Amino acid sequence: MKRTVLELRQSKSGRLVMLTAYDFPGAKLAAEAGVDLILVGDSLGMVVLGYESTVPVTMEDMLHHAKAARRGAPDIFLTVDMPFMSYASNEQALANAARLMKEAGADSVKLEGGLEAVPAVEALVRAGVPVLGHIGLTPQTASALGGYKLQGRDEAGARRLLEEASALERAGCWGIVLEMVPAPLARAITESIAIPTIGIGAGPHCDGQVLVFHDMVGLFSGFTPKFAKRYAEAGALIREAIACYAAEVRDGRYPDAAHSFDMHDEVLKRVYGG
Ligand code: KIV
């Protein structure tokens, strides 16, 4: 049964499981496996579209993939990422979030950023859009943060993250993703706010966890962050299957009788003679 925003907002002691999905089969598998919520992340840009970062991802990309994911998981709470520069002003944020909800069937949107994201979050929440925040490592602005690095390790950084989490809570977010934050700091943030934290590279004390599907099943070979545990080697399995198929076509073993269609000889004789 689909979680409601109210239930999610109150999931402080639970172990929320969120996974990314970008298409029909991925979302269907995630739903069948029983995740609590799906994120159509803009990690799409890197793991599916082959970009070097999430920056080139467009609203059209997000809509296209979110619609497919929604078709695969009609009964799961679906959060969709707002791509880079799609919420630079409140007007843009409202117009783009409306498209994600009306056209793709999103239940919530996620946007990156701390204090600077507060006006957009407030505008969205006022308009009735459930918003998931995202602080710590924010991939859309990773270059400004000095790359894909752990955040909040020093005193100033840790204070800033605590302050940002509380500002996003006050702005009305129903939850906050903490990405690449030291586990003790993630615990302190989790304890300091009443809405759930969903961690990725943020240790075991968050209220939930999220992983990128392609990292988790071994389908992305770009780079594997330390926190991304591989639960399957699907890439190796698929490569092996394709090599088998190619070998069987080349040596004539495929297609065999079991994978071909027959017809009555007389019909063939009438149309082709012989
Ligand atoms: O885009 C994404 O997949 C994300 C997760 C890493 C949280 O934002």
Side-chain angles (χ1 to χ4, degrees), residues 20 22 39 41-43 81 110 112 134 177 179 200 210 212:
T20 66
Y22 316 94
L39 170 67
D42 63 352
S43 48
D81 259 344
K110 174 165 83 59
E112 296 181 5
H134 182 160
V177 168
E179 180 163 357
I200 174 160
V210 54
V212 169

Side-chain angles (χ1 to χ4, degrees), residues 25-205:
K28 189 163 186 296
L29 288 170
E32 287 166 356
V35 302
D36 297 302
L37 63 166
I38 285 176
L39 170 67
V40 184
D42 63 352
S43 48
L44 162 75
M46 298 172 81
V47 299
V48 175
L49 302 179
Y51 296 128
E52 298 223 321
S53 77
T54 59
V55 170
V57 176
T58 64
M59 269 301 293
E60 298 313 315
D61 293 331
M62 294 309 300
L63 282 163
H64 181 70
H65 287 267
K67 285 180 192 176
R70 175 44 94 204
R71 288 191 289 271
D75 300 322
I76 295 268
F77 190 93
L78 192 85
T79 293
V80 181
D81 259 344
M82 301 199 66
F84 181 58
M85 293 302 279
S86 68
Y87 49 99
S89 69
N90 291 359
E91 292 68 32
Q92 253 187 327
L94 287 167
N96 287 322
R99 290 194 72 194
L100 293 174
M101 295 186 78
K102 286 179 180 218
E103 295 174 36
D107 295 300
S108 157
V109 301
K110 174 165 83 59
L111 50 83
E112 296 181 5
L115 301 182
E116 72 285 6
V118 163
V121 173
E122 284 173 342
L124 289 167
V125 171
R126 240 189 340 266
V129 178
V131 182
L132 178 61
H134 182 160
I135 57 174
L137 173 69
T138 44
Q140 292 174 8
T141 46
S143 54
L145 298 173
Y148 291 86
K149 284 191 184 153
L150 187 67
Q151 301 295 308
R153 209 178 210 163
D154 61 8
E155 186 181 333
R159 279 189 194 284
R160 199 191 61 243
L161 285 176
L162 274 157
E163 194 189 332
E164 287 178 343
S166 132
L168 289 172
E169 177 181 28
R170 282 195 306 276
C173 283
W174 65 260
I176 302 177
V177 168
L178 301 180
E179 180 163 357
M180 285 191 80
V181 173
L185 176 61
R187 177 181 218 160
I189 294 172
T190 300
E191 287 171 1
S192 74
I193 56 177
I195 54 173
T197 57
I198 303 181
I200 174 160
H205 309 297

